[in-house]
Amino acid sequence: MPPPAPSLGRSVSLHLQGDWGTANLHRVCGWIAQELTDRCGPHTRVGIWSGRGGADAARAVGRGQVHLALTTPAAFAAAALDGRGPFAGEAVPDLRALGVLPQRDRLVVGVDRSLGITSFAELRAARPALRLATGPHDGTNLIGWAAHEVLHRSQVDVTGWGGRLLTDERPRQTFERVISGEADAIVHEAYMLPPWQEFGARMAFLPVERHVLDGLEADYGWPSATVAEGHFPGCPRFETLDFSDFLVLTRSDLPDDLAHLIAWILGETRATIEAQYRHIPPERSPLTYPLDPVAMGRTPVPLHPGAARYYRSLEAS
């Protein structure tokens, strides 16, 4: 039996932060806002701020600029607790989670097959002048941060070898560079989206070396994962950096009853958000449905006590 539906008799004013405005994190914010407004006092107001979905999410919550913010990949947020990696100098020890939404994703490194390179060892030996498309390494964009870490730890020096870094904030901008031929290499995520199938057949995807993956996990808590054989046209199975899941962040001082209500919304009204993705096969969907409320409570940063109360109720039922 599902937990009883909670509600708040009082009106609340809540600030959420999503993505640039039209992608998945903003969509999740809209879902939370709608369901929350239905279950709070009549003067409830929910505002959704644009963000970048990266390190800015934990910072905005930590600074008290917003009450909730969404970030991806989920595992990267754990470094904010003690100020590691992109969060150096601004730790958020009171960062808490309300739940995690599944998005099976990977950060992958691809180079044009015409270069004849199939491994990082071959890449280091050839030292080609790559035109590599990725996200900006600006301390906020986690795609760019992760790309920099993978390349640096793999001893790849794009500009030092005479190449160019072509950086864009949003994935589709990067994909266009590869599709048009402006870029002959890419380090990026959102590997389930259709553009990867458009240009993937002409790319060789490089397995990230084990010492690099182990170092990233030891230093930042970033996990590794595999890309299944055939996910990209004609591509064998390989190992790379996990880039999965959307994480709903808040601070420990969010009222317990409000945190409990939002966690309940995530778990018990999940059909509302799932319906927006069911026209896409789950393995190609930007949100990996069906959502499992128990799994949504397994978060890489501590759960807010109010949210933990909801997820415990699932285990007891």
Side-chain angles (χ1 to χ4, degrees):
M1 178 177 294
S7 62
L8 298 183
R10 68 183 187 279
S11 298
V12 299
S13 180
L14 207 65
H15 295 272
L16 280 59
Q17 181 171 303
D19 52 52
W20 314 283
T22 62
N24 299 293
L25 304 187
H26 239 61
R27 183 174 289 188
V28 172
C29 285
W31 163 42
I32 293 171
Q34 174 179 292
E35 300 293 340
L36 184 72
T37 303
D38 286 348
R39 293 169 175 83
C40 293
H43 307 299
T44 292
R45 302 177 71 215
V46 180
I48 301 174
W49 291 87
S50 293
R52 298 172 66 187
D56 59 317
R59 293 183 192 132
V61 168
R63 294 169 184 171
Q65 295 171 325
V66 297
H67 301 96
L68 273 69
L70 277 85
T71 189
T72 185
F76 283 32
L81 292 165
D82 53 4
R84 288 172 291 142
F87 305 100
E90 193 172 350
V92 190
D94 59 347
L95 191 68
R96 296 295 181 266
L98 296 176
V100 65
L101 300 172
Q103 186 212 31
R104 190 179 302 113
D105 201 0
R106 308 286 184 264
L107 185 90
V108 295
V109 182
V111 297
D112 196 285
R113 289 184 183 276
S114 65
L115 298 173
I117 292 166
T118 61
S119 70
F120 274 102
E122 293 174 356
L123 183 60
R124 288 189 294 268
R127 299 165 65 94
L130 296 173
R131 293 167 288 125
L132 188 144
T134 188
H137 181 225
D138 60 2
T140 296
N141 185 298
L142 294 178
I143 299 162
W145 185 279
H148 171 83
E149 289 285 340
V150 168
L151 294 173
H152 176 72
R153 291 171 186 243
S154 302
Q155 299 176 32
V156 174
D157 186 357
V158 173
T159 57
W161 295 349
R164 288 189 295 147
L165 290 172
L166 308 171
T167 60
D168 295 289
E169 173 66 17
R170 292 189 286 279
R172 292 188 185 278
Q173 297 167 313
T174 296
F175 300 157
E176 285 300 322
R177 291 188 188 271
V178 180
I179 292 168
S180 69
E182 181 184 0
D184 57 11
I186 183 172
V187 184
H188 225 283
E189 49 93 69
Y191 85 142
M192 78 296 291
L193 293 182
W196 286 101
Q197 300 302 310
E198 185 173 347
F199 61 75
R202 71 173 196 255
M203 307 296 288
F205 292 94
L206 310 187
V208 179
E209 294 163 321
R210 175 40 56 188
H211 75 275
V212 173
L213 294 172
D214 288 345
L216 290 171
E217 183 150 26
D219 292 345
Y220 303 138
W222 298 356
S224 59
T226 58
V227 175
E229 180 178 0
H231 178 86
F232 301 115
C235 182
R237 178 182 181 274
F238 66 96
E239 196 165 21
T240 189
L241 192 64
D242 195 357
F243 225 74
S244 296
D245 301 337
F246 307 143
L247 186 63
V248 185
L249 295 171
T250 189
R251 272 194 337 198
S252 58
D253 58 359
L254 188 75
D256 265 30
D257 56 356
L258 186 53
H260 177 262
L261 174 55
I262 295 169
W264 183 93
I265 286 168
L266 295 177
E268 300 303 319
T269 72
R270 59 190 183 276
T272 302
I273 193 72
E274 288 176 346
Q276 300 184 45
Y277 294 90
R278 285 197 176 275
H279 63 290
I280 308 170
E283 68 276 8
R284 298 291 179 184
S285 173
L287 185 74
T288 308
Y289 64 87
L291 277 61
D292 175 2
V294 173
M296 291 162 73
R298 300 181 188 129
T299 55
V301 302
L303 281 167
H304 187 290
R309 179 160 56 90
Y310 163 70
Y311 295 110
R312 283 197 305 270
S313 73
L314 299 176
E315 297 171 0
S317 60

